[in-house]
Amino acid sequence: MNFSLIPDDLRPIADKVAASERIDEEEALRLYRSNNLNALGIMANAVRERKNGNFATYIHNRYINYSNICVLSCQFCAFAARKRDAHAFEQSIDEIVAAVQDALRLGITEVHMVGGLHPTLKKDWYLELLRRLRALDPDLVIKAFTAIEARHLAERIFKMPIPDTLELLRDAGLGALTGGGAEIFDPGVRDEICRGKETAEEWLEVHRIWHRMGGRSTCTMLYGHVETLAQRVDHLRQLRELQDETGGFTGFVPFAFEPQTPALAHIKRATAFDELRNLAVSRIYLDNFDHITAYWVSMGLPLAQISLSYGVDDLHGTIIEEKIFHMAGAQTPQQQTVAALENAIREAGRIPMQRDSYYSHLTSGGQTSPAAAKSTEPELACA
């Protein structure tokens, strides 16, 4: 990397990056305030290459949104519905199993499943769903439920402590938690965009418990609405601190807010410049994360491809079907083929590699590469 192109005002930070030293919150804020996207890309790519070489990954997966019926009414959300709303939906277990069975024939290795905080689905419904999905293929990873859903299940549906609830879900087939529901951790921001939703501490607690059980999860940030740059940095700080504690996050997946709800329709969507800058700063600051994912569903594949030059090493997955962002107004496709993802990666000068749910590289037969598994499986501090 040509660090000679870094301007003097960013040179002290670049020197830290070159020496693999951690930057602090004030330095992260300076990066966010910089308009020198080229310099940010140089630094972010140095971290990416050090951690992942020239590989860029994707996962062959299937999204399932089992229901959008939700007890919350978050101001930013165009997905959630009350039972009587015209856009409310709820899939049966048979429908979900059939959809995943069809996707397995296409070669998926993961089903990614989230929904709203459904008020009436029973404990046995969730457990039967997981058991039937696991029975389809023991190698299929069921990545399901946000931390907010997990708390809802524990407190309102299972009526059990969170650790006991997570253990039941894992025994039934849950392989990984999703990273959704984090939004921005600042309480003032949460009060403005998702009043009534669990706090940052409650979100973090679920992931901490899951990690201490030996489980893995991703984490997210929904940005580009009412938050300040300092609040973005604070969000990243709390994720980095939990990762220091547990080592259980596999990757970070930020995405820009889609301003389609009446309460927040006045907000302008994040620019491509801001999206690339956010990814680059995240890559530089989150030094204890191995992977940064560009969520093409939000960004579009062309911009996600460009982000591979701004610290990103993963383009997420084939998806097959996505509802949450598209109900909020996203105009991107609802799926990508393996060929499209691999072509985008090659055109960016990277080596495409299919991965599993834990970011380990897979061979052509869909099995974890022994070398990749050894090199990408981090130690869990509290497994």
Side-chain angles (χ1 to χ4, degrees):
M1 294 295 173
N2 190 358
F3 274 53
S4 66
L5 298 176
I6 303 293
D8 290 343
D9 63 318
L10 297 179
R11 175 66 61 180
I13 300 176
D15 289 342
K16 278 191 170 184
V17 171
S20 299
E21 295 177 5
R22 171 166 286 189
I23 70 168
D24 60 26
E25 288 69 56
E26 188 276 331
E27 290 166 326
L29 190 57
R30 284 171 57 193
L31 294 178
Y32 264 126
R33 288 172 175 163
S34 174
N35 288 322
N36 195 325
L37 193 59
N38 184 49
L40 298 182
I42 290 171
M43 287 185 276
N45 262 335
V47 180
R48 174 201 57 77
E49 187 170 341
R50 187 160 58 229
K51 288 181 174 289
N52 298 290
N54 204 39
F55 290 107
T57 57
Y58 65 90
I59 188 168
H60 197 4
N61 63 350
R62 171 51 152 111
Y63 262 40
I64 296 286
N65 297 121
Y66 59 88
S67 175
N68 67 339
I69 297 170
C70 187
V71 299
L72 295 178
S73 298
C74 296
Q75 294 90 319
F76 75 87
C77 184
F79 173 75
R82 301 298 185 183
K83 277 194 171 185
R84 295 181 181 179
D85 290 346
H87 67 292
F89 70 87
E90 178 183 317
Q91 294 193 55
S92 69
I93 291 177
D94 286 344
E95 289 173 324
I96 296 169
V97 170
V100 174
Q101 197 163 28
D102 288 343
L104 279 167
R105 298 188 185 100
L106 301 176
I108 67 163
T109 63
E110 173 192 275
V111 56
H112 184 291
M113 187 169 61
V114 296
L117 306 188
H118 199 292
T120 58
L121 288 177
K122 303 300 183 184
K123 170 183 172 182
D124 289 344
W125 188 92
Y126 290 97
L127 297 178
E128 180 185 351
L129 173 60
L130 291 171
R131 289 173 184 138
R132 288 185 59 184
L133 290 176
R134 183 170 62 179
L136 292 176
D137 184 341
D139 294 325
L140 176 70
V141 175
I142 304 170
K143 184 176 181 180
F145 312 127
T146 66
I148 307 303
E149 285 177 275
R151 292 196 78 96
H152 171 76
L153 293 179
E155 295 168 0
R156 299 195 182 193
I157 307 301
F158 288 27
K159 300 187 185 303
M160 299 171 62
I162 293 170
D164 295 343
T165 299
L166 291 174
E167 186 173 358
L168 267 182
L169 293 171
R170 183 178 62 182
D171 290 346
L174 180 64
L177 282 181
T178 74
E183 322 315 354
I184 289 289
F185 286 149
D186 181 83
V189 172
R190 295 180 85 79
D191 186 61
E192 190 167 347
I193 70 167
C194 54
R195 189 175 303 117
K197 191 172 239 182
E198 282 79 355
T199 65
E201 292 76 15
E202 289 170 328
W203 186 96
L204 292 163
E205 180 189 25
V206 171
H207 285 273
R208 178 180 290 108
I209 293 169
W210 180 247
H211 295 170
R212 286 176 172 171
M213 293 169 56
R216 311 303 301 280
S217 60
T218 48
C219 56
T220 62
M221 176 171 71
L222 177 69
Y223 67 94
H225 38 83
V226 303
E227 87 286 353
T228 65
L229 294 178
Q231 287 164 341
R232 289 192 201 178
V233 172
D234 180 67
H235 186 97
L236 295 176
R237 175 189 62 79
Q238 294 188 60
L239 292 176
R240 191 169 76 172
E241 287 178 353
L242 183 56
Q243 184 74 336
D244 278 342
E245 179 185 338
T246 68
F249 288 126
T250 52
F252 175 60
V253 192
F255 36 77
F257 170 65
E258 294 283 348
Q260 294 295 322
T261 59
L264 299 173
H266 61 284
I267 296 173
K268 292 183 179 180
R269 196 191 187 284
T271 64
F273 185 98
D274 193 25
E275 292 197 68
L276 294 175
R277 176 169 54 186
N278 189 70
L279 286 162
V281 175
S282 300
R283 175 62 289 169
I284 297 165
Y285 180 82
L286 295 175
D287 60 326
N288 54 0
F289 279 69
D290 286 334
H291 305 287
I292 304 292
T293 289
Y295 193 48
W296 66 258
V297 170
S298 171
M299 303 176 69
L301 188 56
L303 185 58
Q305 180 188 48
I306 294 171
S307 75
L308 293 172
S309 296
Y310 291 87
V312 166
D313 68 285
D314 180 72
L315 291 187
H316 206 284
T318 51
I319 304 295
I320 299 184
E321 182 181 30
E322 194 280 337
K323 294 183 184 293
I324 295 176
F325 272 82
H326 287 88
M327 289 179 73
Q331 299 300 308
T332 56
Q334 287 204 332
Q335 67 182 68
Q336 296 288 348
T337 64
V338 167
L341 293 172
E342 290 194 345
N343 286 339
I345 291 169
R346 287 194 185 95
E347 288 174 358
R350 305 279 179 258
I351 302 169
M353 183 67 66
Q354 185 179 345
R355 65 167 174 90
D356 66 12
S357 302
Y358 313 106
Y359 287 78
S360 293
H361 293 181
L362 297 178
T363 65
S364 58
Q367 300 299 312
T368 303
S369 164
K374 183 178 180 180
S375 64
T376 62
E377 185 69 23
E379 294 181 4
L380 290 180
C382 303

